Amino acid sequence: MRELTWLSDYQQALAERNRAAATDIVTRLLVDGVDPVTVLTEVVAAAQREVGLRWQRGEWTVADEHACTAISVAATRAVAEFVGQLPLSGKTVLVACAEREWHELPAMIIACSLRSHGWNTTLLGAATSPMRFSQHLADIGPDAVAVSCSVLGALPTTRRFIEAASAAGVPVLVGGQAFGRDDARARALGATAWAGDAHSAVAAMNRLPAVVAALPNLPAAAVTEQTVLDVRHRAIVDSVRASWSLTRTPSPVGAGIGTDTLNQTLHAISAALLTGDSRPISETAEWVCDILRARSVNDSAVTELAQLLVAVLADLPLSRRLVEDHFTRCPGQA
Ligand code: B12
């Protein structure tokens, strides 16, 4: 119950774009003895997810989202400063976002949560290059690596981080919305462990083995199709954009949302190929439906998109089948 009041006060501060009030709320909670991980998960992360939903529903613009995120980054920095005073346990962890992953705040929250439990953390920023990651891996020699992944499009590059760390014997904990609600995708990509929130991230981190073995390869056919999809991404987007009723003539919705939904759908196919989990596709289809409905686009645009994708993926049988089977009609569509 208390958490709900904290959350609504914090959400009010975000709605008013009041950075000082938001930072003050989290600082007061910490000074009053509230667990820093609870402040991060129940207040900052929860409010950010609501920000995303407001954008998804068309209530807030991208600019609104950016303004709120900047405030939440400041609030998380205030928590980081507070937990920076707490004692260290002697264990080190490298926290990273893989290439193509621009959602840095979840990684900040995880780094901060681990620091509050004594882990000495090095946080690499958004969209870390593999070279930079490997350099830090070699220089720091961490006890563990934590990789945060929010968008499906960054799961393939996350796999590369998992490979690099495992090859060095370092265990990898993964998490973030792209992994979904269980450990299926994480296991398929070879991660040592997965956790769904910052509380369980701390617990999972403390249970990691000291050393892990190098990983076996992923299934060759799936990897090949995923690579082809990656190489052809722009051409596929352009070809579907030229035919899809939402995007073939210029319109404000088509320009931004149309391209976003196409990119996300192709990323979902890549994610499903690499992980063997088809849920990214059905979940993305629902997300597309939701976004388009919120902007008064008829559900038939989604059915049409599925048909165009099936045609353009004709020579990629695994991908085509995933779309045919899982990119289905919108919930409740006649
Ligand atoms: C802010 C934001 C952005 C900012 C990020 C800035 C920053 N400094 O972080 C910017 C503007 C860059 C951005 C860009 C985009 N975004 Co964005 N973004 C968000 C938003 C609103 C908040 C993200 C956030 O901070 N969440 C709070 C975090 C802390 O919550 P969390 O992820 O659940 O984290 C918890 C767990 O997942 C777990 N966890 C997280 N990481 C880890 C790591 C480990 C190791 C472990 C164990 C656990 C763990 O613990 C956390 C705390 O409990 C979300 C909405 C949402 N639902 O989150 C959309 C959202 C993630 N974005 C989305 C999209 C579509 C995009 C863009 C494609 C849009 C565009 N056209 O630009 C791009 C993609 C960029 C890219 N390639 O990465 C979609 C993704 C949809 C989907 N189906 O995948 C979302 C869900 C919005 C929506 N409702 O549609 N975004």
Side-chain angles (χ1 to χ4, degrees):
M1 220 47 213
R2 278 180 322 158
E3 282 86 341
L4 282 182
T5 323
W6 305 336
L7 177 58
S8 63
D9 291 349
Y10 185 85
Q11 282 173 322
Q12 183 64 27
L14 286 189
E16 290 166 1
R17 310 288 183 265
N18 190 337
R19 179 190 297 232
T23 309
D24 194 49
I25 290 168
V26 299
T27 308
R28 259 190 296 116
L29 291 173
L30 295 168
V31 171
D32 288 350
V34 178
D35 166 35
V37 184
T38 300
V39 174
L40 291 166
T41 52
E42 267 64 62
V43 181
V44 182
Q48 280 297 113
R49 282 193 293 272
E50 182 60 27
V51 168
L53 280 176
R54 286 187 175 217
W55 169 79
Q56 191 170 323
R57 294 194 294 250
E59 296 163 12
W60 276 5
T61 63
V62 170
D64 291 324
E65 185 193 287
H66 286 207
C68 293
T69 304
I71 295 173
S72 288
V73 166
T76 305
R77 290 215 172 104
V79 183
E81 212 164 291
F82 182 89
V83 300
Q85 318 295 322
L86 300 174
L88 288 167
S89 67
K91 295 257 195 173
T92 54
V93 57
L94 188 59
V95 183
C97 295
E99 243 181 337
R100 301 183 182 180
E101 179 56 76
W102 287 98
H103 296 86
E104 188 180 16
L105 183 57
M108 285 177 72
I109 287 177
I110 292 302
C112 199
S113 302
L114 293 171
R115 176 63 189 86
S116 78
H117 283 258
W119 285 81
N120 191 357
T121 57
T122 299
L123 174 63
L124 303 179
T128 301
S129 74
M131 219 157 74
R132 185 156 175 263
F133 176 75
S134 297
Q135 190 67 56
H136 276 84
L137 197 59
D139 288 353
I140 299 171
D143 293 292
V145 161
V147 187
S148 177
C149 188
S150 297
V151 282
L152 295 166
L155 281 179
T157 48
T158 295
R159 159 73 186 186
R160 281 180 219 142
F161 279 19
I162 299 171
E163 278 171 0
S166 305
V170 181
V172 188
L173 174 67
V174 296
Q177 292 174 47
F179 283 98
R181 285 180 289 274
D182 56 42
D183 68 353
R185 290 171 216 169
R187 271 190 292 108
L189 294 183
T192 319
W194 164 88
D197 63 27
H199 288 289
S200 27
V202 173
M205 192 51 91
N206 290 326
R207 285 195 305 264
L208 287 179
V211 180
V212 295
L215 297 175
N217 291 334
L218 293 176
V223 171
T224 305
E225 278 208 17
Q226 191 273 322
T227 309
V228 175
L229 268 187
D230 207 20
V231 171
R232 285 193 202 159
H233 184 99
R234 188 57 35 221
I236 296 175
V237 169
D238 288 347
S239 133
V240 175
R241 274 182 62 83
S243 312
W244 193 19
S245 56
L246 188 69
T247 48
R248 70 179 169 235
T249 47
S251 76
V253 174
I257 295 297
T259 309
D260 273 355
T261 52
L262 271 171
N263 284 330
Q264 285 289 110
T265 305
L266 292 179
H267 291 152
I269 301 171
S270 277
L273 284 169
L274 286 195
T275 62
D277 179 2
S278 60
R279 287 173 295 177
I281 305 202
S282 44
E283 286 163 11
T284 300
E286 273 185 41
W287 177 80
V288 173
C289 293
D290 210 33
I291 287 199
L292 295 186
R293 278 177 177 177
R295 285 148 183 92
S296 307
V297 177
N298 194 286
D299 288 346
S300 59
V302 178
T303 321
E304 184 196 352
L305 174 60
Q307 285 159 355
L308 290 168
L309 284 168
V310 166
V312 81
L313 298 172
D315 62 341
L316 298 175
L318 300 176
S319 309
R320 194 193 60 228
R321 173 65 69 84
L322 281 166
V323 174
E324 282 169 344
D325 291 351
H326 303 285
F327 200 89
T328 44
R329 50 190 54 239
C330 293
Q333 185 183 347

